[in-house]
Amino acid sequence: MKKIILAAISMLAVALGVEAQDQVRLNPSYPDAYVVQKGDTLWDISSQFLVQPWYWPEIWQVNPQVENPHLIYPGDSLRLVYIDGQPQLQLQRGPRAYQLSPGVDGNRLSPSIRRQAVEDAIPAIPLDAINAFLSRTRIVEPGAFEGTPYIVSGSDDHILMGAGDTIYARGDFGAPLPSYGIYRPGPVYSDPVSGEVLGRQALGVGSVDLLQLDPDNNPDFSVATMGVRSTAREVRLDDRLMPVEERSIEALFHPSAPTIAIDSLIVGVDEGVTQIGKFDVVILNIGEREGLLPGNVLAIYKAGSTVRDRITGDVVKLPDTRAGELMVFRTFEKMSLALVLDARRPLAVMDMVRNP
């Protein structure tokens, strides 16, 4: 029956002149219903119903009767139905926990619903793979680290520090803040095509609390004693201190195809990675000014090789090969961070990124 429905949708699309890439293509083995499990991601669930998971918004039916209809929680049930001939996913909330609370007179008990926290909703992608990038790593101006305080030592002369350790930083603290972010200066990125300087990566390391500030033999410097509150990676000597970024981070988003034409490149990758694979974080050379949004899914292409036609002697450029997909999870003015969701071939810096 499913195959008949899918064939009918395809024939209708052809009859209406709809291009194949614009169709919502259902997964032939999609389930009649699916109960959301703890640990699921929206991308995984979308893949069960759709060949192209980024078309999720096209089939998602918002139910005004449901509180926070865009959020999906473990225990919720999803069912694919057809409305006016179009596939739609309907949400049925799973059972919610109840608690008994004392009545006004202190004797009666009445049920009250325990509201589900937004943080309990399933994420679009595995947040543990991007947590440090969501909250800390950012793109800054190329000269942003000039004059910032830096770590000179750990307690007992340690050169690698972690959460709970005491560290010492030196520099001009100006008006001291109660806490700082620890950042490691990364590379300065330029657009490979235009040569425009796009920004510098500030790799998020952790956060510290200021415990004590003492004068230094250099009148422009002070020595700060600090406690390491949290870390995403080991703290090293020469890591820099900067004010914690005041920025709203969107961690709950839905996979979607961008509404603009995309022609981008992978220009960077997390430190220490040479070959890019699934769940690696990459840096793109486009951002907010080009209209890119968190949740946008993009296709990754490997450049086609050049061969010589042995019959005519011509040099022939072979077509570019689609090698995977990624999802943008954080945007800056000129650059973006994205998570590789699928890699069918080893990926690398300078691979092309386009509309899915």
Side-chain angles (χ1 to χ4, degrees), residues 292-333:
L292 206 58
L293 299 172
N296 280 169
V297 176
L298 301 170
I300 308 168
Y301 284 84
K302 304 287 292 185
S305 58
T306 301
V307 299
R308 182 173 295 277
D309 187 324
R310 297 174 60 181
I311 302 297
T312 66
D314 295 336
V315 175
V316 180
K317 166 69 166 58
L318 299 181
D320 300 333
T321 304
R322 185 162 176 160
E325 288 83 37
L326 57 76
M327 181 187 289
V328 174
F329 63 84
R330 191 167 181 195
T331 57
F332 301 87
E333 181 187 0

Side-chain angles (χ1 to χ4, degrees), residues 118-184:
V118 171
E119 291 79 6
D120 294 337
I122 64 167
I125 51 182
L127 293 183
D128 56 348
I130 64 171
N131 179 57
F133 297 88
L134 274 174
S135 58
R136 300 183 184 93
T137 292
R138 64 209 227 204
I139 303 297
V140 297
E141 292 297 321
F145 286 105
E146 294 178 7
T148 57
Y150 49 90
I151 296 171
V152 294
S153 179
S155 58
D156 299 323
D157 297 326
H158 289 172
I159 60 173
L160 295 176
M161 291 74 72
D165 288 344
T166 298
I167 64 170
Y168 302 95
R170 183 172 187 257
D172 181 3
F173 285 86
L177 300 174
S179 61
Y180 291 84
I182 310 173
Y183 293 92
R184 187 164 300 148

Side-chain angles (χ1 to χ4, degrees), residues 40-280:
D40 281 345
T41 66
L42 190 54
W43 180 263
D44 294 334
I45 295 175
S46 303
S47 300
Q48 294 200 40
F49 288 95
L50 298 172
V51 174
Q52 300 159 305
W54 52 92
Y55 276 114
W56 177 267
E58 302 296 323
I59 68 168
W60 183 245
Q61 183 189 30
V62 175
N63 185 348
Q65 307 297 325
V66 175
E67 183 181 11
N68 292 328
H70 290 290
L71 302 181
I72 303 174
Y73 300 94
D76 290 348
S77 178
L78 303 174
R79 182 178 298 276
L80 189 71
V81 299
Y82 284 83
I83 299 176
D84 297 329
Q86 299 299 316
Q88 297 284 313
L89 268 177
Q90 290 186 337
L91 169 68
Q92 180 178 351
R93 285 283 186 235
R96 289 293 179 263
Y98 287 84
Q99 62 182 7
L100 294 179
S101 57
V104 176
D105 58 7
N107 297 318
R108 298 174 56 193
L109 295 177
S110 59
S112 63
I113 299 176
R114 178 176 60 83
R115 292 181 180 273
Q116 193 90 359
V118 171
E119 291 79 6
D120 294 337
I122 64 167
I125 51 182
L127 293 183
D128 56 348
I130 64 171
N131 179 57
F133 297 88
L134 274 174
S135 58
R136 300 183 184 93
T137 292
R138 64 209 227 204
I139 303 297
V140 297
E141 292 297 321
F145 286 105
E146 294 178 7
T148 57
Y150 49 90
I151 296 171
V152 294
S153 179
S155 58
D156 299 323
D157 297 326
H158 289 172
I159 60 173
L160 295 176
M161 291 74 72
D165 288 344
T166 298
I167 64 170
Y168 302 95
R170 183 172 187 257
D172 181 3
F173 285 86
L177 300 174
S179 61
Y180 291 84
I182 310 173
Y183 293 92
R184 187 164 300 148
V188 175
Y189 293 103
S190 297
D191 189 280
V193 179
S194 68
E196 177 189 10
V197 176
L198 302 175
R200 183 170 197 166
Q201 183 186 24
L203 187 67
V205 175
S207 60
V208 292
D209 295 321
L210 178 61
L211 304 178
Q212 182 177 322
L213 191 63
D214 296 300
D216 186 71
N217 53 5
N218 183 329
D220 296 326
F221 281 9
S222 300
V223 175
T225 305
M226 296 185 154
V228 182
R229 187 197 318 157
S230 63
T231 59
R233 43 183 57 84
E234 287 183 322
V235 180
R236 302 176 185 172
L237 300 182
D238 302 331
D239 283 345
R240 299 283 181 149
L241 301 182
M242 299 177 71
V244 176
E245 184 183 27
E246 295 296 334
R247 178 186 171 102
S248 175
I249 304 300
E250 180 58 69
L252 294 170
F253 38 71
H254 287 69
S256 62
T259 58
I260 55 174
I262 297 296
D263 186 8
S264 178
L265 294 167
I266 295 175
V267 294
V269 64
D270 191 15
E271 60 177 356
V273 176
T274 54
Q275 282 196 333
I276 303 170
K278 187 174 181 179
F279 294 156
D280 281 334

